[in-house]
Amino acid sequence: MATQMTDAHRHFLQALMSLGVVESPQAVALHRRCCERHKVYYAADKLDDFINVANLQLQPLFLEIRKGMAEETGRTCYALVNLAESEVTRMATDYSETELELFKKTMDLIVLSESGFASSTEILNLADQLKPKKMKKREAEQVLQRLVEEMWLAEKEGEYTLHSRCILELEPYILSHYPDTARKCHICHALVVQSQVCADCGVAVHAPCLARYFRGRADPRCPHCKQFWPSGTPAQSFPRGRKEQVFLPRFLWASLGF
């Protein structure tokens, strides 16, 4: 296995920057393709080692390939994040002050909600409250669409939550700006937005983490207080309208230089 940065690592980074975030099956496929393309030793179980080599070179640039979990599917995911500044601050170069205000207020609704979601109606009702200037609802809809396309938000049947990429990039910001509300999963200790909460002790857990914890146990009990978990084992599913996809579409492979 290569211990120095190679063209395979550089190609992997370029692809990751283009895609924004990839879940584990896509990351594994991308790792293999990059190694084969540039004739670098490949081992299917060495993805994290491959990424660690890249991260050593990225460290002086205040960049990092960060590993997390997609809350909907429970899969491992990867994104390239900027460590030098708050990603919300960096967004100011891509969004107007009013657009950024809409995103921040949307994040308020999501993080402060019990479900980790905010409805389109709730968000659009904020349009005429924005500063420095109000926004028409049609304009707000277009900004929401862009935020979804650029993987800051995820939308499902008119409900919005934070995208996996957004959580990976903004976790430190969210934990510091919402100290009384933002929680870490009791099992994996990462930020949890769409949480399952114990009715007895109040600990928050990712639904996929809880599903894995309950697997093989006779009855569902809280991983912290051990009291019976009345809601049972949470379902773990893919977002509606989207099939499980192990490999990237052919046109994306071509656009990434393969």
Side-chain angles (χ1 to χ4, degrees), residues 10 26 48 101 105 128 143 158 182 199 205 223 231 242 255-256:
R10 295 183 187 94
Q26 289 80 26
D48 285 349
E101 183 70 9
K105 287 186 176 296
D128 59 1
V143 175
V205 189
S231 58
R242 173 179 151 199
S255 70
L256 295 172

Side-chain angles (χ1 to χ4, degrees), residues 153-171:
L153 297 177
E155 185 270 337
K156 180 180 178 181
E157 299 178 354
E159 298 282 319
Y160 290 83
T161 189
L162 301 184
H163 196 282
S164 300
R165 176 204 172 191
C166 179
I167 293 174
L168 283 173
E169 300 232 27
L170 295 183
E171 180 171 351

Side-chain angles (χ1 to χ4, degrees), residues 1-17 35 38 40 49-61 63-65 80:
M1 184 191 70
T3 57
Q4 299 295 322
M5 192 81 157
T6 67
D7 285 341
H9 294 90
R10 295 183 187 94
H11 203 155
F12 187 91
L13 280 171
Q14 290 170 355
L16 195 55
M17 285 189 287
C35 290
H38 298 283
V40 172
D49 291 339
F50 179 85
I51 287 173
N52 287 340
V53 171
N55 277 339
L56 286 174
Q57 300 300 316
L58 292 171
Q59 194 172 30
L61 304 175
L63 295 171
E64 178 184 76
I65 300 174
L80 183 67

